[in-house]
Amino acid sequence: MIRIAGLIKQFGPFAALRGITAEFAAGSLYVILGDNGAGKTTLLRSIAGLARPTRGSISILGNSEVRDACRDIGYMAHPSLLYDEMSGMENLRYFAGLYGISDDGRSENVIRGVDLDPALTRPVGQYSQGMRQRMSLARALLHDPKILLLDEPFSNVDYRSALEMVKLIAQLRDSDKTILLVTHQATLLEDVADEFVWMEAGQIVSRTRELKLLETR
């Protein structure tokens, strides 16, 4: 599904990614871990086509031009990227238009899928953090992408809401989506992740199915 070869991303003299080579298979949930500044978000942004590699290559579904594969990618950034003055449904209608989706049914189904009410008229700016994160996930799912890139989806979310999001993410993986998820809350995903990927200083230094093998790092 995703193949990365010799990926280097520099910002001036600073190398955020330093020669990453990796493959990620379809229908799997990969949890990307590492300290702040390890390059996790830059890796997601590079796969999403939002950060152009300095050197190296990324192939999505056999397509070496990442921007041509953007229709197959859903990206949930750390900021919600929602319009606070609009309702959830109004937000999704707007983004649906960008994807050429004219049927409100798709937006309604996606909102219900993240356990929110499409009839809620309250502006997103008045949502709780958990509701905002779920709406941000709905935005990423709107065009039914094959690949989901999720950056800190549980940030400032209460434990119960986080568990509900984990359940939904596992269901998405089981529907054959490839998911790369950056988090500092790895234990939430211990029972559902297919692989834990540890990054340090812009490199992938360990990949394992057992979270406990990384706990001594």
Side-chain angles (χ1 to χ4, degrees), residues 149-161:
L149 308 173
L150 310 179
D151 195 355
E152 297 287 359
F154 314 120
S155 177
N156 299 316
V157 174
D158 66 81
Y159 184 68
R160 181 178 177 181
S161 296

Side-chain angles (χ1 to χ4, degrees), residues 1-3 47 58-64 66 69 72-73 147:
M1 183 64 75
I2 303 172
R3 291 182 177 179
I47 295 171
I58 302 172
S59 174
I60 308 292
L61 294 167
N63 192 332
S64 59
V66 175
D72 295 311
I73 298 172
I147 296 168

Side-chain angles (χ1 to χ4, degrees), residues 23-36:
E23 294 188 3
F24 300 99
S28 297
L29 169 56
Y30 298 92
V31 180
I32 314 295
L33 307 173
D35 296 331
N36 291 337

Side-chain angles (χ1 to χ4, degrees), residues 7-12 16-17 41-58 64-68:
L7 181 62
I8 295 172
K9 177 58 182 177
Q10 289 183 267
F11 297 96
L17 300 177
T41 293
T42 303
L43 177 61
L44 289 197
R45 286 178 56 81
S46 297
I47 295 171
L50 299 173
R52 187 173 292 276
T54 304
R55 288 198 295 277
S57 64
I58 302 172
S64 59
E65 182 51 61
V66 175
R67 291 184 181 275
D68 291 342

